[in-house]
Amino acid sequence: MTEAEALHKFGFLLGAFEYGAPPHGGIAFGFDRLCSILGGSESIRDFIAFPKNNSGRDVMLDAPGTIDQHQLDELHIQLNKE
Amino acid sequence: MYRSHTCGALRMQDVNQTVTLAGWVQTIRKFGAITFIDLRDRYGITQLLLGEELNSQLTDQPLGREYVLQATGKVTERSNKNSQIETGDIEVAVTSFTILNKSAVPPFTIQDDTDGGDDIRMKYRFLDLRRNAVKKNLELRYAVNRSARNYLHQQGFMDIETPFLIKSTPEGARDFVVPSRMNAGQFYALPQSPQTFKQLLMVSGYDRYYQIVKCFRDEDLRADRQPEFTQIDCEMAFVEQEDILQMFEQLIKQIFKDVKQIDYTALVERISWEEAMWTYGNDKPDIRFNMKLANYKFPLHTFPEKKETLSNSILSSGATGFPVFDQAETIIGFAAAGCSEYTRKQIDELTEWIKRPQIGMQGMVYIKCNLDGTFKSSVDKFFGEESLQKIAAATGAQAGDLVLVLAGKEEKTRKAASELRLEMGKRLGLRKENEFKLLWVLDFPLFEYAEEENRWVARHHPFTAPKPDHIAVMIDNDPEIKDAAKYLEHPYAGIKANAYDMVLKVDPSEFSSDRFRKKCLQHWV
């Protein structure tokens, strides 16, 4: 990452570090995976109440789905129709 | 009041009490004039007995599976007890019942061994959630959640919510974006993790923060990945790496205790990233079984500290006469205990396994360390008994073991050796489901090679601290790579970070999909 890119993407954080940042560190645990291991299962899906399938779809809600033209207009979005 | 008890509450001591239960009709069984109903709720199943006097109501208002029923009656001792369920000693002799709601015929049976396939159960997930097996999983999830919260709360951590509508920072995985109606042409992104916010909270002085939080990554989906998933996200200020390791291995141990009643008192082992790659070919190794790798040959720049091994190795010369070994960048082997009697067929099958596209090796060399002390190999033409003995000895092989050797490009060969090791561990039953072992992997590389850009990029995120004595290497060199084929020789390849991973493995199955990873980082500020 160039310095300009870094400033653009993380400028607020770099800026914040100018105001007395303490030494710090952390961790993030994969909660779904932790549960599946403790539960003796190979699938994290089994431990999520409403999971997506392997194509990233929620087949119960049928999401993702299309939205109305009206919504698109409000959002200033034009679809690339191919 | 809809019920006096739940469907899991009644026992022998409740006999003769008049009770009212409410729940779903699991099964209906008719025996002559008598009807038995299994009534189910979140807490269990209770058997209802409907006598002859209720038959006319049953005819007028027929019941069906998953009907919502309220029933009042007297608790009685069963003549035919069921030791499988907690309420199995009693039943309720119903005096009156009300159908609270009917149900359409469910598309699959709501039982432990349901007849519903994956797809239909996903589509009717709200029905699948009624099943005991799924309910147990959600209960376990809540137990883990509660245990983590209790521990972190006791340690003075504060749960602070961070926003979901944030700014897109195209780095790492792809962001999910959300268009802004109020700001034409502009977008929010959903967080891939609360990384920047938790660091800002440190600057703000909240020196122990946690959150059990949804994260979003628009990745190409591999098996068992979810575009939205949950992290236990933590950050601490005024700490050294050691403080963090201790705090969070204690967290996992507490969860073991609360959720699994496992007293994990052993020290959590630690291994450096480099040593993990050297010994297991994997930065999240399964250390529940031994089967360590023997590194016969490897590019010196990938493991500069292992120079000694290279000079002592019988296969490193490049002049063994066996072209596959002589042309290989890397040669790795290990011993599969007690497999020297493998048949031709079994070995051919393993060879096919290693040639699968997911592994992609050209082949495999084997050495059988026969019980009578002789050696038989697939390379007898090139290596005499004495050489075979030396090659086998490097793996620690005993008589009766089978030594498997892979050769090729460094990264591919190392990965394949790791996968073959895991596969053999599985086949030999060494990866036991109920054995848990924690491991810290320390000193991760700070950078990874971005093939498309042909340069080094931050492996985790750009605010990770390098190891103090690697800072100079970083400053003195450019991350740009001149010769793509030799990127591993670039000085950035060796820069290590104050980054660590905790690994907890249990009965993994398919290719690289099932690892439990917890990224932990010391940030450089």
Side-chain angles (χ1 to χ4, degrees):
Chain A
M1 197 178 342
T2 65
E3 214 169 311
E5 273 179 307
L7 271 177
H8 175 66
K9 288 175 185 165
F10 297 106
F12 57 100
L13 188 55
L14 292 171
F17 284 168
E18 299 294 311
Y19 292 88
H24 59 279
I27 185 168
F29 295 84
F31 182 59
D32 310 291
R33 173 70 56 208
L34 177 57
C35 292
S36 82
I37 289 173
L38 291 172
S41 165
E42 286 159 15
S43 166
I44 66 168
R45 253 200 323 192
D46 297 344
F47 294 81
I48 298 172
F50 297 102
K52 309 267 186 290
N53 72 6
N54 279 346
S55 323
R57 293 197 72 85
D58 183 325
V59 292
M60 187 178 65
L61 303 176
D62 198 18
T66 53
I67 57 173
D68 294 341
Q69 187 57 48
H70 170 68
Q71 278 177 294
L72 286 172
D73 292 343
E74 264 192 348
L75 293 169
H76 324 280
I77 289 178
Q78 236 181 348
L79 293 183
N80 200 350
K81 291 200 173 97
E82 279 177 65
Chain B
M1 193 176 66
Y2 274 109
R3 60 185 179 188
S4 63
H5 294 78
T6 68
C7 295
L10 298 170
R11 301 286 186 275
M12 277 302 284
Q13 70 252 30
D14 301 306
V15 165
N16 286 328
Q17 255 201 75
T18 299
V19 298
T20 302
L21 302 182
W24 287 264
V25 173
Q26 171 119 348
T27 55
I28 307 167
R29 300 184 305 276
K30 273 189 159 312
F31 281 99
I34 297 173
T35 306
F36 288 103
I37 291 170
D38 279 347
L39 195 68
R40 182 196 68 241
D41 66 8
R42 181 183 143 193
Y43 308 93
I45 287 176
T46 299
Q47 178 166 289
L48 307 179
L49 185 157
L50 281 67
E52 210 170 348
E53 67 281 4
L54 292 171
N55 274 348
S56 62
Q57 191 186 347
L58 279 174
T59 313
D60 291 348
Q61 302 167 16
L63 293 172
R65 280 198 292 135
E66 301 306 311
Y67 274 40
V68 187
L69 191 72
Q70 182 187 41
T72 299
K74 197 190 252 183
V75 182
T76 54
E77 184 174 358
R78 273 206 221 183
S79 53
N80 206 350
K81 294 196 167 118
N82 178 353
S83 59
Q84 302 293 307
I85 57 174
E86 290 188 85
T87 62
D89 288 347
I90 56 93
E91 62 195 0
V92 173
V94 175
T95 49
S96 69
F97 71 85
T98 310
I99 294 173
L100 298 176
N101 210 345
K102 293 181 178 179
S103 167
V105 178
F108 50 87
T109 56
I110 313 294
Q111 283 166 353
D112 286 2
D113 49 348
T114 178
D115 58 359
D118 257 7
D119 292 347
I120 194 87
R121 284 190 292 114
M122 283 287 271
K123 184 159 183 192
Y124 293 89
R125 182 70 174 171
F126 52 94
L127 292 180
D128 203 28
L129 290 174
R130 287 183 186 170
R131 293 196 310 121
N132 209 25
V134 187
K135 188 188 72 193
K136 281 219 150 65
N137 290 344
L138 292 189
E139 284 173 347
L140 179 128
R141 185 184 175 103
Y142 181 52
V144 176
N145 185 316
R146 232 170 32 218
S147 171
R149 284 186 188 284
N150 279 342
Y151 174 82
L152 292 167
H153 175 73
Q154 277 162 17
Q155 296 296 327
F157 283 78
M158 199 167 149
D159 178 349
I160 302 173
E161 288 161 273
T162 53
F164 279 170
L165 293 175
I166 65 167
K167 187 170 142 174
S168 182
T169 50
E171 188 89 19
R174 285 187 189 83
D175 285 329
F176 278 103
V177 295
V178 181
S180 164
R181 177 178 60 85
M182 309 279 273
N183 304 278
Q186 296 193 316
F187 297 82
Y188 300 102
L190 302 178
Q192 296 183 25
S193 81
Q195 184 63 44
T196 46
F197 289 100
K198 70 176 179 180
Q199 291 192 253
L200 289 171
L201 286 169
M202 293 305 111
V203 177
S204 307
Y206 298 88
D207 61 359
R208 290 186 173 195
Y209 141 93
Y210 87 101
Q211 201 178 178
I212 298 184
V213 63
K214 272 283 170 70
C215 302
F216 306 86
R217 288 182 197 170
D218 190 5
E219 287 176 298
D220 293 332
L221 290 159
R222 279 176 281 164
D224 209 30
R225 284 292 174 91
Q226 291 282 318
E228 53 177 305
F229 58 97
T230 307
Q231 283 186 345
I232 307 176
D233 189 50
C234 308
E235 192 80 6
M236 303 169 81
F238 303 114
V239 285
E240 290 170 350
Q241 176 165 303
E242 187 59 34
D243 302 312
I244 297 171
L245 299 188
Q246 300 218 355
M247 175 66 75
F248 294 108
E249 67 182 60
Q250 212 47 50
L251 167 65
I252 296 300
K253 286 177 174 179
Q254 188 63 46
I255 291 173
F256 272 3
K257 196 167 193 171
D258 292 343
V259 177
K260 301 290 286 184
Q261 287 77 50
I262 292 173
D263 247 324
Y264 196 110
T265 47
L267 272 179
V268 175
E269 286 179 44
R270 297 177 184 192
I271 189 172
S272 72
W273 181 88
E274 206 158 281
E275 204 57 42
M277 294 305 289
W278 174 261
T279 313
Y280 303 102
N282 196 320
D283 60 16
K284 34 196 181 307
D286 188 341
I287 57 163
R288 290 173 303 172
F289 65 105
N290 219 3
M291 232 188 251
K292 290 180 178 164
L293 306 182
N295 292 268
Y296 302 106
K297 192 178 180 185
F298 53 90
L300 194 55
H301 55 83
T302 53
F303 296 100
E305 283 167 25
K306 303 291 186 183
K307 210 169 169 178
E308 198 69 8
T309 314
L310 199 59
S311 52
N312 289 339
S313 168
I314 174 174
L315 299 179
S316 67
S317 66
T320 65
F322 179 43
V324 173
F325 282 179
D326 290 345
Q327 285 152 24
E329 187 177 32
T330 294
I331 308 173
I332 301 176
F334 64 88
C339 296
S340 69
E341 311 269 308
Y342 260 34
T343 60
R344 185 62 201 246
K345 202 177 149 203
Q346 280 173 302
I347 286 179
D348 284 350
E349 193 261 329
L350 265 187
T351 308
E352 284 312 307
W353 191 89
I354 204 82
K355 284 175 161 175
R356 294 185 313 159
Q358 297 97 309
I359 311 271
M361 295 302 287
Q362 301 289 323
M364 180 184 84
V365 168
Y366 70 83
I367 303 169
K368 290 178 169 178
C369 309
N370 296 323
L371 285 165
D372 62 9
T374 60
F375 295 88
K376 171 89 189 81
S377 81
S378 53
V379 284
D380 284 351
K381 217 168 101 188
F382 303 98
F383 298 97
E385 190 94 347
E386 197 183 327
S387 302
L388 291 177
Q389 192 270 329
K390 276 187 184 154
I391 299 169
T395 67
Q398 310 278 325
D401 293 356
L402 176 69
V403 174
L404 303 173
V405 183
L406 299 175
K409 293 289 282 179
E410 161 64 23
E411 283 177 305
K412 195 174 190 176
T413 307
R414 195 161 294 280
K415 188 159 190 291
S418 166
E419 293 300 335
L420 186 60
R421 172 183 175 270
L422 291 173
E423 178 66 17
M424 289 310 294
K426 192 169 95 181
R427 292 184 186 198
L428 295 173
L430 301 171
R431 312 184 70 185
K432 298 192 189 79
E433 189 171 332
N434 277 317
E435 189 187 340
F436 296 94
K437 200 143 189 195
L438 293 165
L439 172 73
W440 284 113
V441 181
L442 307 175
D443 306 340
F444 268 66
L446 183 57
F447 296 100
E448 67 186 356
Y449 177 57
E451 207 173 337
E452 283 168 27
E453 301 163 60
N454 198 30
R455 70 202 299 274
W456 294 98
V457 298
R459 187 182 171 103
H460 185 67
H461 62 74
F463 296 103
T464 308
K467 307 260 356 146
D469 42 354
H470 291 178
I471 294 173
V473 184
M474 197 171 137
I475 294 170
D476 295 346
N477 291 280
D478 192 300
E480 242 29 88
I481 295 161
K482 304 238 155 49
D483 184 353
K486 292 188 176 165
Y487 74 90
L488 277 177
E489 293 172 36
H490 188 279
Y492 266 48
I495 299 178
K496 299 297 191 294
N498 276 337
Y500 28 91
D501 228 16
M502 191 192 262
V503 184
L504 161 58
K505 303 272 301 224
V506 66
D507 191 39
S509 62
E510 271 307 292
F511 205 65
S512 74
S513 63
D514 55 349
R515 274 105 208 214
F516 176 53
R517 299 197 58 164
K518 289 162 269 173
K519 256 269 120 82
C520 358
L521 292 153
Q522 181 89 33
H523 310 298
W524 186 33
V525 292

